[in-house]
Amino acid sequence: MNGKGSVTLNAGIEKAWEVLLDPLALKNCIMGCKKLEPVDENKYEAELSIGIAAVKGKYESTIEIADVQKPNHYKLIVKGEGGPGSVEATGVVDLIPIDDNKTELNYTYDAEVGGKVAMVGQRMLNGVAKLIIQDFFKKFNKELAKSEQSI
């Protein structure tokens, strides 16, 4: 399964980049993230508890940030396993400044699922992926707003 999209962020590119790499902000933005602990530079162990349709369940995961080109680009690599099955996903994030207070974030993702989750069908998984991505960016814009208030 793969997809792409873009979203306008209410922050300049430097602030958007800073928050995108902040582990606490990421933990707050990732749906069902119960734990996000560093294990190496730009690599985290995560515990995700997702409650959507056949994807519902707990997943032990690793999340790695690679191919970092500050402040414009990085790759996010997620590998997870749990009762419902497994997932391996790669997302690429590109930031493009619009002006001092707005940034365009473009993303692409490619994911493979296995186990019971894989049996639910491509249409349902695509819908779940879109829901998770929309939820992430809704929460991310809130994290950006919080970071602006703390200045």
Side-chain angles (χ1 to χ4, degrees):
M1 138 179 84
N2 55 44
K4 63 182 180 177
S6 68
V7 63
T8 300
L9 304 174
N10 296 317
I13 192 167
E14 293 292 337
K15 177 55 76 176
W17 180 263
E18 179 185 314
V19 176
L20 267 174
L21 292 177
D22 177 359
L24 181 59
L26 288 176
K27 180 180 182 283
N28 292 339
C29 295
I30 297 170
M31 182 183 284
C33 188
K34 304 296 181 199
K35 174 183 95 171
L36 186 68
E37 295 177 355
V39 292
D40 205 346
E41 184 178 356
N42 291 332
K43 189 169 186 176
Y44 305 90
E45 280 186 2
E47 183 180 307
L48 309 175
S49 182
I50 299 175
I52 303 172
V55 182
K56 187 175 187 170
K58 288 186 179 181
Y59 297 84
E60 294 294 324
S61 308
T62 58
I63 299 173
E64 182 177 358
I65 298 169
D67 193 20
V68 176
Q69 298 168 28
K70 183 182 179 185
N72 301 95
H73 172 90
Y74 75 68
K75 185 185 294 187
L76 195 63
I77 303 162
V78 178
K79 295 179 182 176
E81 287 195 32
S86 63
V87 64
E88 282 195 35
T90 301
V92 175
V93 173
D94 289 297
L95 296 176
I96 301 162
I98 296 172
D99 61 32
D100 288 346
N101 299 309
K102 295 232 183 272
T103 302
E104 180 179 322
L105 183 148
N106 295 311
Y107 63 88
T108 59
Y109 65 88
D110 185 28
E112 289 185 34
V113 294
K116 290 185 263 179
V117 174
M119 292 185 251
V120 301
Q122 200 65 33
R123 279 181 62 179
M124 184 174 198
L125 289 176
N126 283 334
V128 169
K130 286 178 185 170
L131 184 70
I132 290 170
I133 290 167
Q134 288 170 351
D135 183 73
F136 178 90
F137 286 120
K138 181 179 173 184
K139 291 174 181 173
F140 186 74
N141 267 317
K142 288 180 182 175
E143 290 295 318
L144 281 172
K146 281 194 324 195
S147 74
E148 290 294 325
Q149 292 170 359
S150 65
I151 293 176

